Amino acid sequence: MKLSVPHRQALPHSPSTSKSGQCDWALPTIASRHRRFASCQNPLRPQHAHGRLQHRQASIATQSPSTDARPGASPEQLVDELLERISNSDSGVGLHEEEEATVNKLINQLEAVGKQQEPSPLDNPLIFGNFGVAFSSTQQAPKQSGQPAGGGFRSKPGRLLFQTKELCQSIFEPNLATNKVAFALLGCIPGSIGLRGTFAPQGDKQDTVKVDFEPPRLSLPGGICLAVGPTSSVVLATTYLDKRVRLGRGGRGSSFVFTRGGPCESAGMKDIGLARTSVLGYTILLMLAATFCAVSFLLLSSGTLWSKVIAAPPALVGVAILFGLWLNI
């Protein structure tokens, strides 16, 4: 007997469904049914189903972001790419948002490696030394405001007034930590702001420390070295460590890349915070305060309203210098 097979019409370009709601080309396997179900839309409500699928995909992407910038790469290769991407970036502030995100993904990959490193960071002698702050980011730290390295000196207005020359952080045995921001005031007057503190381990993982800093000290030419703020403290975890880099994670989630050596080796990091204003420095500051106050007095004595208005700024500068001197006596 000759069997006749009825001709089956070609499948349309768009998926169709039967009364049971299943796609006509479904294969009898669980995996294929799952794929068919994911790609097949209910013709009665195509817009809603598609919208829900997009919303779910976006939700998954938000909840579980990819942390792999280079899957399968060795730690050495990851460090190579990391250093290449942050070179000439002004410690990260010169990167676009997408470039910064890629750098943070590389950091996340190295941090995963760091969790398996032995010995732990605080037991590893590589943690000591002079480091440059090659990169800092608050992209993964929603609670962090401002620049995590350098503070106001590294804000947009701060970088215009204080052009950054160096950003350094050093760790010395047994428990000394120092930070330094070297700058050129108005692009021509060299100076620096330094922090000196001691650290103590936090937690049980031997990777986190709390650093208690003395008041920051502003250093300017002429032997001027003034305390210009209150004491402070920070919490910092070392999340990856090798001979070239040290990765850090701040208490609020900000990320750091510290590179070993370079100009920070000769930045006098061990003496940060020890200098005090010399006699010459006090003389210079007193002369400056007197000059600003004299200018303000002359403007006030002219009698015009406009002169009285512009007399305020030099008077405030003179008083601020005298107040700073009083605090540092």
Side-chain angles (χ1 to χ4, degrees), residues 15-298:
S16 60
T17 58
S18 64
K19 293 182 178 179
S20 61
Q22 297 190 358
C23 294
D24 289 340
W25 59 88
L27 297 178
T29 65
I30 296 176
S32 62
R33 287 178 182 176
H34 176 74
R35 290 193 298 270
R36 168 192 49 71
F37 180 77
S39 62
C40 179
Q41 299 180 6
N42 187 336
L44 297 178
R45 294 189 299 173
Q47 298 297 328
H48 297 290
H50 184 61
R52 286 197 304 270
L53 179 60
Q54 286 185 326
H55 176 74
R56 175 174 173 78
Q57 290 172 340
S59 176
I60 293 174
T62 302
Q63 294 173 6
S64 304
S66 173
T67 58
D68 290 345
R70 287 189 60 186
S74 67
E76 292 77 14
Q77 291 173 325
L78 292 174
V79 171
D80 288 339
E81 182 172 349
L82 177 63
L83 294 178
E84 181 180 353
R85 287 184 177 274
I86 63 178
S87 63
N88 302 317
S89 68
D90 194 11
S91 298
V93 296
L95 297 178
H96 296 295
E97 185 176 353
E98 296 79 7
E99 295 171 323
E100 184 180 354
T102 300
V103 170
N104 276 310
K105 286 184 178 181
L106 290 168
I107 291 174
N108 291 341
Q109 282 186 262
L110 284 168
E111 286 181 331
V113 175
K115 292 179 180 179
Q116 310 300 323
Q117 283 185 314
E118 292 292 342
S120 58
L122 297 187
D123 295 325
N124 192 333
L126 290 176
I127 198 170
F128 298 107
N130 299 304
F131 297 85
V133 185
F135 174 82
S136 65
S137 170
T138 60
Q139 200 173 63
Q140 298 177 340
K143 295 183 179 180
Q144 174 77 44
S145 60
Q147 287 294 321
F153 287 87
R154 294 286 294 162
S155 64
K156 288 183 179 180
R159 293 198 304 274
L160 292 175
L161 187 59
F162 303 91
Q163 296 181 14
T164 306
K165 298 300 181 182
E166 292 173 7
L167 275 173
C168 302
Q169 183 182 92
S170 297
I171 303 176
F172 301 104
E173 296 184 79
N175 64 338
L176 174 64
T178 59
N179 292 344
K180 179 180 180 180
V181 181
F183 57 78
L185 177 60
L186 301 175
C188 58
I189 304 175
S192 66
I193 189 81
L195 283 171
R196 184 182 188 88
T198 56
F199 63 87
Q202 294 283 298
D204 301 326
K205 296 183 179 180
Q206 288 296 300
D207 63 358
T208 304
V209 296
K210 180 184 179 183
V211 190
D212 294 313
F213 286 112
E214 300 171 2
R217 290 201 161 267
L218 174 67
S219 298
L220 293 171
I224 298 173
C225 187
L226 300 172
V228 292
T231 60
S232 60
S233 63
V234 297
V235 175
L236 182 67
T238 297
T239 54
Y240 176 85
L241 182 64
D242 66 18
K243 293 181 179 180
R244 291 188 289 170
V245 300
R246 174 169 59 89
L247 304 187
R249 184 71 66 174
R252 297 180 181 179
S254 51
S255 54
F256 300 89
V257 178
F258 305 97
T259 53
R260 190 181 302 275
C264 294
E265 288 284 3
S266 56
M269 295 300 293
K270 206 163 190 177
D271 297 327
I272 293 294
L274 297 180
R276 296 294 184 268
T277 301
S278 65
V279 174
L280 176 60
Y282 278 116
T283 304
I284 293 173
L285 290 172
L286 284 171
M287 291 177 64
L288 284 173
T291 301
F292 281 110
C293 290
V295 170
S296 178
F297 177 78
L298 290 173

